[in-house]
Amino acid sequence: MGFGKLLEEKMKAKNVKQAELAEAVGLPKTTLSSMILRDNTKIEIEKFLKICKYLDCNPEDFYSEFKTQNKKMPPLFTAKYYQLDPHGKEMVDTVLEMEYTRCTATEQDEDEEQHITLRLSYLAASAGTGDYLDSEDYEHITVKRTETTLQADFAVRVNGDSMEPTYHDGEILLVEGTPYINVGDIGIFVVNGNGYVKEYGGDRLISHNEDFEDIMLHDYDVVICSGRVIGVLEE
């Protein structure tokens, strides 16, 4: 009998379900299921000890039962570990956790150095007749770390083709948040609740596609500049 089956027996004895145990110790339910179904013993010491604490069982119970039924050493610990006093075990656990974190953090750190998290608006900015954009709802996306993405405060998707050939329908624009931009800059605007990506022309919002008319701005219009477009997010 392997670790997963022993764990399943402990859970049944305490009438604890997989979902309950997974939530209690901070493990994905799929990971816990894999441990039980596939007899997988790959688990962090910290998580293993939390499981034992929640099930009110001694970690040595796993060793004792495994040794009795299999006459083999469990893959989680060695016999020497169980001969240590509480202080010795605590020292081993501490060093093991530190080294595990150091070794597994390398790839994660490298990935984090190459990527950043950016807000992407749930609503698109229209490159056409206008979309309702009076909202601050965003999702977070992971993007490649570049000078441009580092400068961006959020991203928004283009809807329509009035800004072709500069920007195309479906592209994700990187935006530097600012309430003011210069004439000739391309920005994200909300005019009377409708969102646009357009070139700022002072008294109008300019479309780059000749098939679309410019949007004239009047004194009675409520015009908000959400930011300046600084680039397109690479695939």
Side-chain angles (χ1 to χ4, degrees), residues 6-204:
L6 293 175
L7 175 58
E8 187 176 28
E9 285 192 357
K10 295 290 186 182
M11 292 168 60
K12 287 182 179 179
K14 296 293 183 179
N15 195 28
V16 173
K17 304 297 183 183
Q18 288 186 26
E20 176 187 348
L21 182 60
E23 182 178 359
V25 303
L27 273 176
K29 184 179 177 181
T30 53
T31 299
L32 188 61
S33 298
S34 176
M35 290 167 54
I36 294 174
L37 295 176
R38 301 180 183 179
D39 244 1
N40 182 12
T41 58
K42 294 181 179 180
I43 180 174
E44 299 176 25
I45 293 296
E46 180 183 1
K47 300 294 186 185
F48 171 71
L49 295 178
K50 284 184 178 181
I51 288 176
C52 292
K53 183 177 181 180
Y54 192 82
L55 296 178
D56 192 25
C57 62
N58 193 313
E60 295 187 12
D61 293 345
F62 285 86
Y63 169 68
S64 300
E65 293 184 32
F66 194 97
K67 183 177 181 181
T68 299
Q69 299 178 36
N70 293 271
K71 296 182 181 180
K72 296 180 181 179
M73 294 300 296
L76 285 173
F77 302 102
T78 65
K80 290 182 179 179
Y81 175 86
Y82 294 101
Q83 296 178 20
L84 299 176
D85 60 19
H87 174 72
K89 291 179 181 178
E90 183 178 353
M91 293 295 292
V92 171
D93 290 344
T94 300
V95 173
L96 182 60
E97 186 62 27
M98 289 175 59
E99 288 303 299
Y100 175 84
T101 301
R102 180 183 65 83
C103 293
T104 57
T106 302
E107 293 183 1
Q108 296 177 358
D109 290 344
E110 290 178 352
D111 183 68
E112 290 177 358
E113 289 178 359
Q114 297 175 8
H115 296 82
I116 62 171
T117 300
L118 195 63
R119 294 182 305 157
L120 173 64
S121 174
Y122 281 127
L123 302 177
S126 178
T129 57
D131 287 329
Y132 185 74
L133 197 64
D134 189 14
S135 173
E136 294 184 354
D137 292 331
Y138 295 90
E139 63 177 310
H140 287 86
I141 59 174
T142 300
V143 301
K144 185 179 296 184
R145 185 187 187 98
T146 66
E147 291 185 6
T148 307
T149 56
L150 286 173
Q151 186 181 351
D153 293 301
F154 66 95
V156 63
R157 195 180 301 277
V158 177
N159 180 28
D161 55 4
S162 73
M163 288 301 288
E164 292 183 355
T166 307
Y167 300 123
H168 301 275
D169 181 51
E171 288 184 327
I172 296 178
L173 305 182
L174 300 171
V175 184
E176 178 185 25
T178 175
Y180 306 103
I181 64 174
N182 297 320
V183 172
D185 288 342
I186 297 176
I188 304 298
F189 301 91
V190 179
V191 182
N192 301 325
N194 292 316
Y196 301 90
V197 51
K198 300 289 183 183
E199 178 184 331
Y200 181 52
D203 63 345
R204 68 193 64 200

